[in-house]
Amino acid sequence: MTGRYNAAVIGAGYWGPNLARNFRTSDDWNLAAVCDLDRERARRVAESVGGAPVTTDIDEILSDPLIDAVAIATPARTHHALVCRALDAGKHVMVEKPLADSDAAGADMVARARERGLVLMTDHTYCYTPAVLRVRDMIAEGALGDILYVDSTRINLGLVQPDVDVLWDLAPHDLSILDFVLPGGLPTTDVTARGADPLGTGRACIGYLSMQLPGGGIAHIHVNWLSPTKIRRLVIGGTRRTLVWDDLNPQQRLSVFDRGVDIGADDAQTARVSYRLGDTWSPALPEREALGGVVTEFAAAIREGRDARTDGSAGLRVLSILTAASESAQRSGVPVPVGRVVADLDEPAAAGVPA
């Protein structure tokens, strides 16, 4: 197919309006419908993007042979049932993060999409920002060298969520970025996490998550709903260079530092440390909405009969880290292995979407 696809947005809450707008303005898509249990909310979203049919009945969407795909923007606990119904109806699916609320549910969704030859895409929006795409290219081409550490901070005075803790609310952004840019994706050994609930809300408002990187490095993520300052910063240190991404600095989102530590050996017992102080520069980046890249990639994956760049397996890898992190936090930071389900689904024989 070379023309436009027809998409329906399911869920008209926080993220649904953004999806509707980007499907409506895309050259690859027609916005065929907006579906929400609250008809008035669906109507407002449809009108805000220039008009589209609205419904409160998902069966009306899934039974329509003219609708090629659905984008699901509902709470994580509803994802498994909705995605499976859509796949069984022959629809390609884009689903919000996190992919599901358990490893088993996510694995079932990924396996079902593969069995039916349909695209299941996780909307890891940050992976389609110009900055993250540039970071991915720089790491792939070896500009940073071997990765020694990752330090990510995502803090703000944010809304305490009613159904998830701060790790499940904020860490998926950072985990999806690391899965996208690191060679081989997210580490799949074990996870250490600690959470704190100083307000007594019944869920952690502050969280710390750590993972070992191949070669002995470490990745660390700090998330916090209680900070009076908002920080969105990612530092990736390599043997050649260090990169800093400051998402709140549009004039200089990326900075590359030719500075670091070099280790030499005088003899077998003595290591010689020297410090490298080189230049710093900021790559030029275009400014464009990342979600536009998401819907473009969704259409391209369908048209080309391939997995999306942030496919269901990417969502499952993030989900498995979150699941292990929750268990580790409940056990006061005891390391917890990442579920075997990710490795099973990533076996070569299972890879790819049938054409």
PDB file of all heavy atoms in Angstrom, residues 299-337:
ATOM      1  N   ALA A 299       3.695   4.052  10.280  1.00  0.00           N
ATOM      2  CA  ALA A 299       3.249   3.802   8.910  1.00  0.00           C
ATOM      3  C   ALA A 299       4.317   3.075   8.098  1.00  0.00           C
ATOM      4  O   ALA A 299       4.014   2.149   7.322  1.00  0.00           O
ATOM      5  CB  ALA A 299       2.867   5.116   8.230  1.00  0.00           C
ATOM      6  N   ALA A 300       5.582   3.468   8.251  1.00  0.00           N
ATOM      7  CA  ALA A 300       6.667   2.851   7.488  1.00  0.00           C
ATOM      8  C   ALA A 300       6.815   1.376   7.842  1.00  0.00           C
ATOM      9  O   ALA A 300       7.046   0.528   6.969  1.00  0.00           O
ATOM     10  CB  ALA A 300       7.980   3.585   7.744  1.00  0.00           C
ATOM     11  N   ALA A 301       6.681   1.044   9.134  1.00  0.00           N
ATOM     12  CA  ALA A 301       6.797  -0.353   9.544  1.00  0.00           C
ATOM     13  C   ALA A 301       5.678  -1.192   8.940  1.00  0.00           C
ATOM     14  O   ALA A 301       5.905  -2.325   8.491  1.00  0.00           O
ATOM     15  CB  ALA A 301       6.778  -0.447  11.070  1.00  0.00           C
ATOM     16  N   ILE A 302       4.465  -0.647   8.910  1.00  0.00           N
ATOM     17  CA  ILE A 302       3.344  -1.374   8.292  1.00  0.00           C
ATOM     18  C   ILE A 302       3.581  -1.551   6.800  1.00  0.00           C
ATOM     19  O   ILE A 302       3.443  -2.648   6.247  1.00  0.00           O
ATOM     20  CB  ILE A 302       2.028  -0.607   8.541  1.00  0.00           C
ATOM     21  CG1 ILE A 302       1.703  -0.560  10.032  1.00  0.00           C
ATOM     22  CG2 ILE A 302       0.888  -1.247   7.761  1.00  0.00           C
ATOM     23  CD1 ILE A 302       0.556   0.376  10.378  1.00  0.00           C
ATOM     24  N   ARG A 303       3.961  -0.471   6.134  1.00  0.00           N
ATOM     25  CA  ARG A 303       4.132  -0.492   4.686  1.00  0.00           C
ATOM     26  C   ARG A 303       5.250  -1.446   4.264  1.00  0.00           C
ATOM     27  O   ARG A 303       5.142  -2.142   3.243  1.00  0.00           O
ATOM     28  CB  ARG A 303       4.425   0.925   4.197  1.00  0.00           C
ATOM     29  CG  ARG A 303       4.469   1.080   2.681  1.00  0.00           C
ATOM     30  CD  ARG A 303       4.528   2.543   2.298  1.00  0.00           C
ATOM     31  NE  ARG A 303       3.269   3.214   2.587  1.00  0.00           N
ATOM     32  CZ  ARG A 303       3.122   4.229   3.420  1.00  0.00           C
ATOM     33  NH1 ARG A 303       4.175   4.711   4.066  1.00  0.00           N
ATOM     34  NH2 ARG A 303       1.937   4.773   3.627  1.00  0.00           N
ATOM     35  N   GLU A 304       6.324  -1.492   5.045  1.00  0.00           N
ATOM     36  CA  GLU A 304       7.493  -2.302   4.691  1.00  0.00           C
ATOM     37  C   GLU A 304       7.464  -3.698   5.304  1.00  0.00           C
ATOM     38  O   GLU A 304       8.382  -4.498   5.074  1.00  0.00           O
ATOM     39  CB  GLU A 304       8.763  -1.569   5.130  1.00  0.00           C
ATOM     40  CG  GLU A 304       8.947  -0.225   4.413  1.00  0.00           C
ATOM     41  CD  GLU A 304      10.003   0.645   5.072  1.00  0.00           C
ATOM     42  OE1 GLU A 304      10.820   0.104   5.863  1.00  0.00           O
ATOM     43  OE2 GLU A 304      10.009   1.871   4.811  1.00  0.00           O
ATOM     44  N   GLY A 305       6.429  -4.010   6.085  1.00  0.00           N
ATOM     45  CA  GLY A 305       6.317  -5.334   6.673  1.00  0.00           C
ATOM     46  C   GLY A 305       7.454  -5.673   7.613  1.00  0.00           C
ATOM     47  O   GLY A 305       8.004  -6.778   7.578  1.00  0.00           O
ATOM     48  N   ARG A 306       7.814  -4.749   8.472  1.00  0.00           N
ATOM     49  CA  ARG A 306       8.946  -4.948   9.387  1.00  0.00           C
ATOM     50  C   ARG A 306       8.573  -4.486  10.785  1.00  0.00           C
ATOM     51  O   ARG A 306       7.520  -3.880  11.014  1.00  0.00           O
ATOM     52  CB  ARG A 306      10.157  -4.152   8.908  1.00  0.00           C
ATOM     53  CG  ARG A 306       9.913  -2.640   8.819  1.00  0.00           C
ATOM     54  CD  ARG A 306      11.195  -1.869   8.612  1.00  0.00           C
ATOM     55  NE  ARG A 306      10.986  -0.446   8.391  1.00  0.00           N
ATOM     56  CZ  ARG A 306      10.803   0.451   9.354  1.00  0.00           C
ATOM     57  NH1 ARG A 306      10.774   0.063  10.627  1.00  0.00           N
ATOM     58  NH2 ARG A 306      10.633   1.728   9.060  1.00  0.00           N
ATOM     59  N   ASP A 307       9.460  -4.802  11.749  1.00  0.00           N
ATOM     60  CA  ASP A 307       9.282  -4.290  13.105  1.00  0.00           C
ATOM     61  C   ASP A 307       9.526  -2.785  13.127  1.00  0.00           C
ATOM     62  O   ASP A 307      10.393  -2.272  12.409  1.00  0.00           O
ATOM     63  CB  ASP A 307      10.278  -4.950  14.064  1.00  0.00           C
ATOM     64  CG  ASP A 307       9.976  -6.413  14.306  1.00  0.00           C
ATOM     65  OD1 ASP A 307       8.782  -6.787  14.272  1.00  0.00           O
ATOM     66  OD2 ASP A 307      10.924  -7.190  14.524  1.00  0.00           O
ATOM     67  N   ALA A 308       8.789  -2.086  13.973  1.00  0.00           N
ATOM     68  CA  ALA A 308       9.056  -0.678  14.209  1.00  0.00           C
ATOM     69  C   ALA A 308      10.354  -0.529  14.995  1.00  0.00           C
ATOM     70  O   ALA A 308      10.804  -1.449  15.674  1.00  0.00           O
ATOM     71  CB  ALA A 308       7.900  -0.037  14.969  1.00  0.00           C
ATOM     72  N   ARG A 309      10.962   0.648  14.921  1.00  0.00           N
ATOM     73  CA  ARG A 309      12.226   0.878  15.637  1.00  0.00           C
ATOM     74  C   ARG A 309      12.031   0.745  17.137  1.00  0.00           C
ATOM     75  O   ARG A 309      12.959   0.335  17.848  1.00  0.00           O
ATOM     76  CB  ARG A 309      12.787   2.260  15.301  1.00  0.00           C
ATOM     77  CG  ARG A 309      13.155   2.421  13.838  1.00  0.00           C
ATOM     78  CD  ARG A 309      13.706   3.804  13.531  1.00  0.00           C
ATOM     79  NE  ARG A 309      15.117   3.922  13.910  1.00  0.00           N
ATOM     80  CZ  ARG A 309      15.845   5.006  13.671  1.00  0.00           C
ATOM     81  NH1 ARG A 309      15.305   6.052  13.081  1.00  0.00           N
ATOM     82  NH2 ARG A 309      17.112   5.045  14.022  1.00  0.00           N
ATOM     83  N   THR A 310      10.871   1.116  17.642  1.00  0.00           N
ATOM     84  CA  THR A 310      10.530   0.869  19.039  1.00  0.00           C
ATOM     85  C   THR A 310       9.329  -0.075  19.052  1.00  0.00           C
ATOM     86  O   THR A 310       8.190   0.334  19.241  1.00  0.00           O
ATOM     87  CB  THR A 310      10.212   2.178  19.780  1.00  0.00           C
ATOM     88  OG1 THR A 310       9.196   2.899  19.059  1.00  0.00           O
ATOM     89  CG2 THR A 310      11.446   3.057  19.879  1.00  0.00           C
ATOM     90  N   ASP A 311       9.633  -1.338  18.831  1.00  0.00           N
ATOM     91  CA  ASP A 311       8.566  -2.323  18.655  1.00  0.00           C
ATOM     92  C   ASP A 311       8.085  -2.852  20.003  1.00  0.00           C
ATOM     93  O   ASP A 311       8.450  -2.364  21.072  1.00  0.00           O
ATOM     94  CB  ASP A 311       9.042  -3.457  17.751  1.00  0.00           C
ATOM     95  CG  ASP A 311      10.263  -4.186  18.316  1.00  0.00           C
ATOM     96  OD1 ASP A 311      10.693  -3.860  19.443  1.00  0.00           O
ATOM     97  OD2 ASP A 311      10.777  -5.092  17.636  1.00  0.00           O
ATOM     98  N   GLY A 312       7.255  -3.890  19.947  1.00  0.00           N
ATOM     99  CA  GLY A 312       6.749  -4.476  21.173  1.00  0.00           C
ATOM    100  C   GLY A 312       7.846  -5.059  22.040  1.00  0.00           C
ATOM    101  O   GLY A 312       7.778  -5.009  23.274  1.00  0.00           O
ATOM    102  N   SER A 313       8.875  -5.616  21.409  1.00  0.00           N
ATOM    103  CA  SER A 313       9.985  -6.184  22.180  1.00  0.00           C
ATOM    104  C   SER A 313      10.730  -5.106  22.960  1.00  0.00           C
ATOM    105  O   SER A 313      11.184  -5.328  24.083  1.00  0.00           O
ATOM    106  CB  SER A 313      10.955  -6.923  21.248  1.00  0.00           C
ATOM    107  OG  SER A 313      10.346  -8.082  20.739  1.00  0.00           O
ATOM    108  N   ALA A 314      10.874  -3.914  22.361  1.00  0.00           N
ATOM    109  CA  ALA A 314      11.492  -2.796  23.084  1.00  0.00           C
ATOM    110  C   ALA A 314      10.652  -2.435  24.307  1.00  0.00           C
ATOM    111  O   ALA A 314      11.183  -2.204  25.405  1.00  0.00           O
ATOM    112  CB  ALA A 314      11.648  -1.592  22.160  1.00  0.00           C
ATOM    113  N   GLY A 315       9.346  -2.385  24.123  1.00  0.00           N
ATOM    114  CA  GLY A 315       8.463  -2.111  25.257  1.00  0.00           C
ATOM    115  C   GLY A 315       8.552  -3.182  26.319  1.00  0.00           C
ATOM    116  O   GLY A 315       8.500  -2.890  27.519  1.00  0.00           O
ATOM    117  N   LEU A 316       8.711  -4.440  25.889  1.00  0.00           N
ATOM    118  CA  LEU A 316       8.813  -5.547  26.835  1.00  0.00           C
ATOM    119  C   LEU A 316      10.122  -5.493  27.615  1.00  0.00           C
ATOM    120  O   LEU A 316      10.153  -5.812  28.812  1.00  0.00           O
ATOM    121  CB  LEU A 316       8.684  -6.877  26.084  1.00  0.00           C
ATOM    122  CG  LEU A 316       8.672  -8.137  26.944  1.00  0.00           C
ATOM    123  CD1 LEU A 316       7.550  -8.077  27.988  1.00  0.00           C
ATOM    124  CD2 LEU A 316       8.515  -9.373  26.066  1.00  0.00           C
ATOM    125  N   ARG A 317      11.211  -5.081  26.958  1.00  0.00           N
ATOM    126  CA  ARG A 317      12.480  -4.957  27.680  1.00  0.00           C
ATOM    127  C   ARG A 317      12.385  -3.896  28.779  1.00  0.00           C
ATOM    128  O   ARG A 317      12.855  -4.097  29.900  1.00  0.00           O
ATOM    129  CB  ARG A 317      13.612  -4.621  26.699  1.00  0.00           C
ATOM    130  CG  ARG A 317      13.996  -5.775  25.785  1.00  0.00           C
ATOM    131  CD  ARG A 317      15.270  -5.503  25.029  1.00  0.00           C
ATOM    132  NE  ARG A 317      15.157  -4.432  24.061  1.00  0.00           N
ATOM    133  CZ  ARG A 317      14.755  -4.603  22.797  1.00  0.00           C
ATOM    134  NH1 ARG A 317      14.414  -5.804  22.371  1.00  0.00           N
ATOM    135  NH2 ARG A 317      14.699  -3.585  21.968  1.00  0.00           N
ATOM    136  N   VAL A 318      11.767  -2.765  28.453  1.00  0.00           N
ATOM    137  CA  VAL A 318      11.557  -1.724  29.462  1.00  0.00           C
ATOM    138  C   VAL A 318      10.666  -2.247  30.585  1.00  0.00           C
ATOM    139  O   VAL A 318      10.942  -2.045  31.775  1.00  0.00           O
ATOM    140  CB  VAL A 318      10.944  -0.467  28.820  1.00  0.00           C
ATOM    141  CG1 VAL A 318      10.496   0.531  29.894  1.00  0.00           C
ATOM    142  CG2 VAL A 318      11.938   0.181  27.868  1.00  0.00           C
ATOM    143  N   LEU A 319       9.609  -2.943  30.224  1.00  0.00           N
ATOM    144  CA  LEU A 319       8.674  -3.488  31.207  1.00  0.00           C
ATOM    145  C   LEU A 319       9.364  -4.469  32.149  1.00  0.00           C
ATOM    146  O   LEU A 319       9.121  -4.463  33.368  1.00  0.00           O
ATOM    147  CB  LEU A 319       7.520  -4.173  30.470  1.00  0.00           C
ATOM    148  CG  LEU A 319       6.426  -4.819  31.314  1.00  0.00           C
ATOM    149  CD1 LEU A 319       5.739  -3.786  32.184  1.00  0.00           C
ATOM    150  CD2 LEU A 319       5.414  -5.513  30.397  1.00  0.00           C
ATOM    151  N   SER A 320      10.251  -5.293  31.617  1.00  0.00           N
ATOM    152  CA  SER A 320      10.938  -6.272  32.443  1.00  0.00           C
ATOM    153  C   SER A 320      11.891  -5.615  33.440  1.00  0.00           C
ATOM    154  O   SER A 320      12.035  -6.078  34.576  1.00  0.00           O
ATOM    155  CB  SER A 320      11.702  -7.267  31.561  1.00  0.00           C
ATOM    156  OG  SER A 320      10.801  -8.046  30.797  1.00  0.00           O
ATOM    157  N   ILE A 321      12.531  -4.517  33.017  1.00  0.00           N
ATOM    158  CA  ILE A 321      13.385  -3.767  33.944  1.00  0.00           C
ATOM    159  C   ILE A 321      12.533  -3.161  35.057  1.00  0.00           C
ATOM    160  O   ILE A 321      12.891  -3.199  36.244  1.00  0.00           O
ATOM    161  CB  ILE A 321      14.170  -2.670  33.204  1.00  0.00           C
ATOM    162  CG1 ILE A 321      15.135  -3.279  32.182  1.00  0.00           C
ATOM    163  CG2 ILE A 321      14.904  -1.783  34.198  1.00  0.00           C
ATOM    164  CD1 ILE A 321      16.305  -4.011  32.777  1.00  0.00           C
ATOM    165  N   LEU A 322      11.382  -2.591  34.705  1.00  0.00           N
ATOM    166  CA  LEU A 322      10.501  -1.998  35.710  1.00  0.00           C
ATOM    167  C   LEU A 322      10.002  -3.050  36.698  1.00  0.00           C
ATOM    168  O   LEU A 322       9.931  -2.799  37.914  1.00  0.00           O
ATOM    169  CB  LEU A 322       9.312  -1.329  35.031  1.00  0.00           C
ATOM    170  CG  LEU A 322       9.583  -0.050  34.250  1.00  0.00           C
ATOM    171  CD1 LEU A 322       8.341   0.370  33.474  1.00  0.00           C
ATOM    172  CD2 LEU A 322      10.036   1.069  35.181  1.00  0.00           C
ATOM    173  N   THR A 323       9.651  -4.225  36.188  1.00  0.00           N
ATOM    174  CA  THR A 323       9.173  -5.292  37.059  1.00  0.00           C
ATOM    175  C   THR A 323      10.255  -5.720  38.041  1.00  0.00           C
ATOM    176  O   THR A 323      10.008  -5.879  39.244  1.00  0.00           O
ATOM    177  CB  THR A 323       8.715  -6.494  36.219  1.00  0.00           C
ATOM    178  OG1 THR A 323       7.687  -6.072  35.312  1.00  0.00           O
ATOM    179  CG2 THR A 323       8.182  -7.610  37.097  1.00  0.00           C
ATOM    180  N   ALA A 324      11.480  -5.891  37.532  1.00  0.00           N
ATOM    181  CA  ALA A 324      12.592  -6.266  38.405  1.00  0.00           C
ATOM    182  C   ALA A 324      12.893  -5.150  39.406  1.00  0.00           C
ATOM    183  O   ALA A 324      13.204  -5.411  40.578  1.00  0.00           O
ATOM    184  CB  ALA A 324      13.825  -6.583  37.568  1.00  0.00           C
ATOM    185  N   ALA A 325      12.805  -3.890  38.957  1.00  0.00           N
ATOM    186  CA  ALA A 325      13.068  -2.760  39.847  1.00  0.00           C
ATOM    187  C   ALA A 325      12.050  -2.706  40.979  1.00  0.00           C
ATOM    188  O   ALA A 325      12.408  -2.419  42.139  1.00  0.00           O
ATOM    189  CB  ALA A 325      13.050  -1.460  39.052  1.00  0.00           C
ATOM    190  N   SER A 326      10.792  -2.977  40.676  1.00  0.00           N
ATOM    191  CA  SER A 326       9.762  -2.971  41.719  1.00  0.00           C
ATOM    192  C   SER A 326      10.045  -4.028  42.774  1.00  0.00           C
ATOM    193  O   SER A 326       9.936  -3.774  43.987  1.00  0.00           O
ATOM    194  CB  SER A 326       8.379  -3.212  41.100  1.00  0.00           C
ATOM    195  OG  SER A 326       7.980  -2.124  40.313  1.00  0.00           O
ATOM    196  N   GLU A 327      10.440  -5.214  42.322  1.00  0.00           N
ATOM    197  CA  GLU A 327      10.750  -6.284  43.275  1.00  0.00           C
ATOM    198  C   GLU A 327      11.978  -5.929  44.107  1.00  0.00           C
ATOM    199  O   GLU A 327      12.008  -6.163  45.321  1.00  0.00           O
ATOM    200  CB  GLU A 327      10.975  -7.597  42.535  1.00  0.00           C
ATOM    201  CG  GLU A 327      11.223  -8.773  43.464  1.00  0.00           C
ATOM    202  CD  GLU A 327      11.369 -10.094  42.737  1.00  0.00           C
ATOM    203  OE1 GLU A 327      10.974 -10.163  41.545  1.00  0.00           O
ATOM    204  OE2 GLU A 327      11.884 -11.047  43.352  1.00  0.00           O
ATOM    205  N   SER A 328      12.997  -5.346  43.454  1.00  0.00           N
ATOM    206  CA  SER A 328      14.193  -4.959  44.189  1.00  0.00           C
ATOM    207  C   SER A 328      13.870  -3.901  45.240  1.00  0.00           C
ATOM    208  O   SER A 328      14.349  -3.976  46.379  1.00  0.00           O
ATOM    209  CB  SER A 328      15.247  -4.427  43.217  1.00  0.00           C
ATOM    210  OG  SER A 328      16.391  -3.962  43.904  1.00  0.00           O
ATOM    211  N   ALA A 329      13.051  -2.908  44.880  1.00  0.00           N
ATOM    212  CA  ALA A 329      12.686  -1.857  45.834  1.00  0.00           C
ATOM    213  C   ALA A 329      11.921  -2.431  47.015  1.00  0.00           C
ATOM    214  O   ALA A 329      12.119  -2.014  48.170  1.00  0.00           O
ATOM    215  CB  ALA A 329      11.865  -0.781  45.131  1.00  0.00           C
ATOM    216  N   GLN A 330      11.040  -3.389  46.744  1.00  0.00           N
ATOM    217  CA  GLN A 330      10.286  -4.019  47.823  1.00  0.00           C
ATOM    218  C   GLN A 330      11.188  -4.820  48.748  1.00  0.00           C
ATOM    219  O   GLN A 330      10.871  -5.005  49.932  1.00  0.00           O
ATOM    220  CB  GLN A 330       9.206  -4.928  47.231  1.00  0.00           C
ATOM    221  CG  GLN A 330       8.084  -4.182  46.526  1.00  0.00           C
ATOM    222  CD  GLN A 330       7.186  -5.101  45.709  1.00  0.00           C
ATOM    223  OE1 GLN A 330       7.359  -6.324  45.722  1.00  0.00           O
ATOM    224  NE2 GLN A 330       6.223  -4.522  45.012  1.00  0.00           N
ATOM    225  N   ARG A 331      12.341  -5.259  48.226  1.00  0.00           N
ATOM    226  CA  ARG A 331      13.295  -6.050  49.013  1.00  0.00           C
ATOM    227  C   ARG A 331      14.484  -5.198  49.460  1.00  0.00           C
ATOM    228  O   ARG A 331      15.564  -5.707  49.684  1.00  0.00           O
ATOM    229  CB  ARG A 331      13.763  -7.249  48.188  1.00  0.00           C
ATOM    230  CG  ARG A 331      12.620  -8.204  47.824  1.00  0.00           C
ATOM    231  CD  ARG A 331      13.039  -9.231  46.803  1.00  0.00           C
ATOM    232  NE  ARG A 331      14.128 -10.070  47.284  1.00  0.00           N
ATOM    233  CZ  ARG A 331      14.756 -10.991  46.523  1.00  0.00           C
ATOM    234  NH1 ARG A 331      14.381 -11.157  45.259  1.00  0.00           N
ATOM    235  NH2 ARG A 331      15.735 -11.706  47.031  1.00  0.00           N
ATOM    236  N   SER A 332      14.260  -3.893  49.563  1.00  0.00           N
ATOM    237  CA  SER A 332      15.263  -2.948  50.087  1.00  0.00           C
ATOM    238  C   SER A 332      16.554  -2.945  49.283  1.00  0.00           C
ATOM    239  O   SER A 332      17.655  -2.866  49.841  1.00  0.00           O
ATOM    240  CB  SER A 332      15.558  -3.254  51.564  1.00  0.00           C
ATOM    241  OG  SER A 332      14.386  -3.134  52.337  1.00  0.00           O
ATOM    242  N   GLY A 333      16.441  -3.025  47.967  1.00  0.00           N
ATOM    243  CA  GLY A 333      17.599  -2.875  47.103  1.00  0.00           C
ATOM    244  C   GLY A 333      18.342  -4.140  46.765  1.00  0.00           C
ATOM    245  O   GLY A 333      19.430  -4.084  46.172  1.00  0.00           O
ATOM    246  N   VAL A 334      17.797  -5.296  47.086  1.00  0.00           N
ATOM    247  CA  VAL A 334      18.440  -6.561  46.704  1.00  0.00           C
ATOM    248  C   VAL A 334      18.422  -6.685  45.178  1.00  0.00           C
ATOM    249  O   VAL A 334      17.388  -6.441  44.542  1.00  0.00           O
ATOM    250  CB  VAL A 334      17.697  -7.759  47.333  1.00  0.00           C
ATOM    251  CG1 VAL A 334      18.251  -9.078  46.799  1.00  0.00           C
ATOM    252  CG2 VAL A 334      17.796  -7.699  48.843  1.00  0.00           C
ATOM    253  N   PRO A 335      19.556  -7.025  44.531  1.00  0.00           N
ATOM    254  CA  PRO A 335      19.557  -7.182  43.072  1.00  0.00           C
ATOM    255  C   PRO A 335      18.564  -8.259  42.629  1.00  0.00           C
ATOM    256  O   PRO A 335      18.493  -9.330  43.237  1.00  0.00           O
ATOM    257  CB  PRO A 335      21.000  -7.596  42.762  1.00  0.00           C
ATOM    258  CG  PRO A 335      21.797  -7.085  43.920  1.00  0.00           C
ATOM    259  CD  PRO A 335      20.899  -7.204  45.106  1.00  0.00           C
ATOM    260  N   VAL A 336      17.812  -7.965  41.583  1.00  0.00           N
ATOM    261  CA  VAL A 336      16.803  -8.892  41.059  1.00  0.00           C
ATOM    262  C   VAL A 336      17.078  -9.132  39.586  1.00  0.00           C
ATOM    263  O   VAL A 336      17.215  -8.186  38.808  1.00  0.00           O
ATOM    264  CB  VAL A 336      15.378  -8.316  41.243  1.00  0.00           C
ATOM    265  CG1 VAL A 336      14.354  -9.196  40.532  1.00  0.00           C
ATOM    266  CG2 VAL A 336      15.045  -8.188  42.722  1.00  0.00           C
ATOM    267  N   PRO A 337      17.180 -10.392  39.142  1.00  0.00           N
ATOM    268  CA  PRO A 337      17.421 -10.688  37.727  1.00  0.00           C
ATOM    269  C   PRO A 337      16.254 -10.229  36.856  1.00  0.00           C
ATOM    270  O   PRO A 337      15.095 -10.262  37.272  1.00  0.00           O
ATOM    271  CB  PRO A 337      17.560 -12.211  37.696  1.00  0.00           C
ATOM    272  CG  PRO A 337      17.823 -12.618  39.111  1.00  0.00           C
ATOM    273  CD  PRO A 337      17.122 -11.606  39.968  1.00  0.00           C
TER     274      PRO A 337
END
